[in-house]
Amino acid sequence: MAQSNSLENPFEVPSIESISALSLEMPPSCVQFSPKDPAYFLVGSYQLKPIEGDQIESAAQKRNGSLVLFRFRDLHPCFCADVSTQYAVLDLKFSPCNGNNFVVATSTGAIELYSLDLVNGTTFRKLQAFQICKPSILVLSVAWGPSNDTKSSIAMSLSDGKVGVLSYEPCRHNVALVQAHSLEAWIAQWSKPAETDSIANLYSGGDDSAICAHRAQMGSEQLDFGNREPEGEEYRPLGQNKRIHTAGVTAIQPVPIQQGPMQVLITGSYDEYVRVVAVGLSGNSWTTLAEERLHGGVWKLQVLAESRAHEDGTVAFDVLASCMHAGTRVLRIGRSSKQEWSIKVLAKFVEHDSMNYATVARKSLPNEGAHGSMIVVSTSFYDRKLCVWNIHYPLPTD
């Protein structure tokens, strides 16, 4: 049975104060630390272009954006470099194999690969662009999947409800798209590599309140989702659930933990709840193990440390949640020796005055003091605000 510890008063938990803050030129949509040098972080932006006079523009022409690189100096972000884009940046992720490279989700139906040079003048270089669909369709999220030095795969979710995977290597690439959702597909996320027993290897969430499990079959010559109706006209996910979430599913974080034979996911939704969800290995059964209302739509989730089960079956790990108009929350998710799950809000950050869509955290560096703490960069969209703050451990749990 799902356990909830929802607070009657959302302001009872401790509030964290910022170390520094600044205003950005464009509304921020995503932020990531560089894996090559975590003193640097990259911000993507999204801006609607004004329509002049009686001009009629297509959806693809109404948005632009930027990629902006910052570097910390005494935990104050300093501008390093930027590049303007003729599209809005919806998401960006650094490659797990080559930390210089990153992928960008665009508002013009494409994903683009960039290289970031932090040695020779902090410059951006576009490596390749892949037109996935019509320019009027937005690529809403991207996620790196199974990759090595010569071959990579990237999952994506689209504004027309499709979910896809790009598999590419030098001189060739393959794209597979399926109609997974009836409304916007907000998120696509791979399962963790440790979950080798699971048939499902990709999950998606949509504005139709559905969470889906997929199997992307990546052979040497082809890429296919399989699982279609006899005449190949309609795609059926391995599994789908529309009952757990009462609004759009916006965030999915698989964790390498099983609940009996079931896989464990952390999910976020417009319905303001974060949940621990167990899904059968073939995607055919779904159970809510715990849920907590965060008083704002849960747009993004980041697991702050590797989560593993102890010998007695207990689990404890922290999660950072971007909660749109409610700011950011630090959560402790745990499982007792009796296999009962719980979610507790440990702290909040509420200095943003508009939608908190993008937040990212990493461990503090030796020269940043406070050994064992986490450095957080959070942003808000309409007021274009960027804040830097610390999570100091241990956090009170009572």
Side-chain angles (χ1 to χ4, degrees), residues 103-341:
V103 60
V104 171
T106 80
S107 62
T108 54
I111 63 174
E112 296 192 348
L113 298 177
Y114 281 83
S115 178
L116 178 61
D117 188 345
L118 298 177
V119 178
N120 302 307
T122 58
T123 57
F124 298 94
R125 182 166 62 95
K126 186 186 294 188
L127 300 176
Q128 202 164 359
F130 301 94
Q131 191 66 44
I132 303 299
C133 52
K134 295 185 298 183
S136 58
I137 305 298
L138 282 67
V139 181
L140 298 175
S141 75
V142 285
W144 290 91
S147 303
N148 54 44
D149 291 338
T150 59
K151 187 174 183 178
S152 297
S153 56
I154 301 170
M156 68 207 76
S157 62
L158 309 181
S159 61
D160 62 354
K162 290 188 175 68
V163 172
V165 176
L166 164 72
S167 178
Y168 77 94
E169 53 190 309
C171 302
R172 69 175 182 176
H173 69 276
N174 191 356
V175 178
L177 293 171
V178 291
Q179 190 70 50
H181 298 271
S182 59
L183 298 171
E184 291 93 338
W186 292 119
I187 184 70
Q189 187 64 266
W190 298 94
S191 61
K192 295 293 182 181
E195 297 157 358
T196 54
D197 294 333
S198 178
I199 297 173
N201 64 353
L202 183 68
Y203 295 92
S204 65
D207 209 47
D208 53 3
S209 303
I211 183 169
C212 297
H214 313 275
R215 177 66 179 177
Q217 302 166 349
M218 289 170 286
S220 58
E221 298 295 331
Q222 63 179 0
L223 172 64
D224 187 29
F225 276 81
N227 218 44
R228 297 179 183 273
E229 294 292 350
E231 295 183 1
E233 295 180 356
E234 184 179 351
Y235 169 73
R236 294 177 297 111
L238 279 178
Q240 182 187 77
N241 184 284
K242 290 187 175 182
R243 299 184 305 275
I244 290 176
H245 305 88
T246 60
V249 181
T250 48
I252 301 173
Q253 277 293 329
V255 291
I257 296 169
Q258 288 190 337
Q259 182 76 1
M262 305 180 81
Q263 190 172 355
V264 175
L265 313 175
I266 313 300
T267 69
S269 171
Y270 278 134
D271 65 13
E272 300 190 350
Y273 279 84
V274 62
R275 293 176 172 89
V276 181
V277 175
V279 55
L281 298 182
S282 59
N284 57 357
S285 61
W286 304 76
T287 302
T288 303
L289 302 174
E291 60 182 18
E292 181 78 9
R293 187 183 177 195
L294 301 185
H295 303 277
V298 184
W299 185 254
K300 292 290 183 185
L301 297 169
Q302 180 188 351
V303 177
L304 295 181
E306 192 66 29
S307 48
R308 300 289 179 184
H310 301 140
E311 290 185 3
D312 62 357
T314 60
V315 172
F317 56 92
D318 292 352
V319 172
L320 194 65
S322 300
C323 299
M324 298 178 71
H325 66 269
T328 312
R329 299 293 186 270
V330 182
L331 313 175
R332 174 70 48 82
I333 297 181
R335 182 176 68 186
S336 71
S337 58
K338 296 180 180 180
Q339 301 295 293
E340 296 174 342
W341 287 81

Side-chain angles (χ1 to χ4, degrees), residues 354-373:
S354 71
M355 296 296 194
N356 171 218
Y357 288 129
T359 308
V360 69
R362 61 158 172 79
K363 291 181 179 179
S364 61
L365 302 177
N367 63 345
E368 293 172 337
H371 176 71
S373 70

Side-chain angles (χ1 to χ4, degrees), residues 41-62:
F41 64 92
L42 190 58
V43 178
S45 69
Y46 176 120
Q47 181 168 270
L48 289 174
K49 293 181 180 179
I51 298 177
E52 299 179 359
D54 297 328
Q55 184 180 5
I56 298 175
E57 301 183 73
S58 70
Q61 294 173 314
K62 293 181 181 178

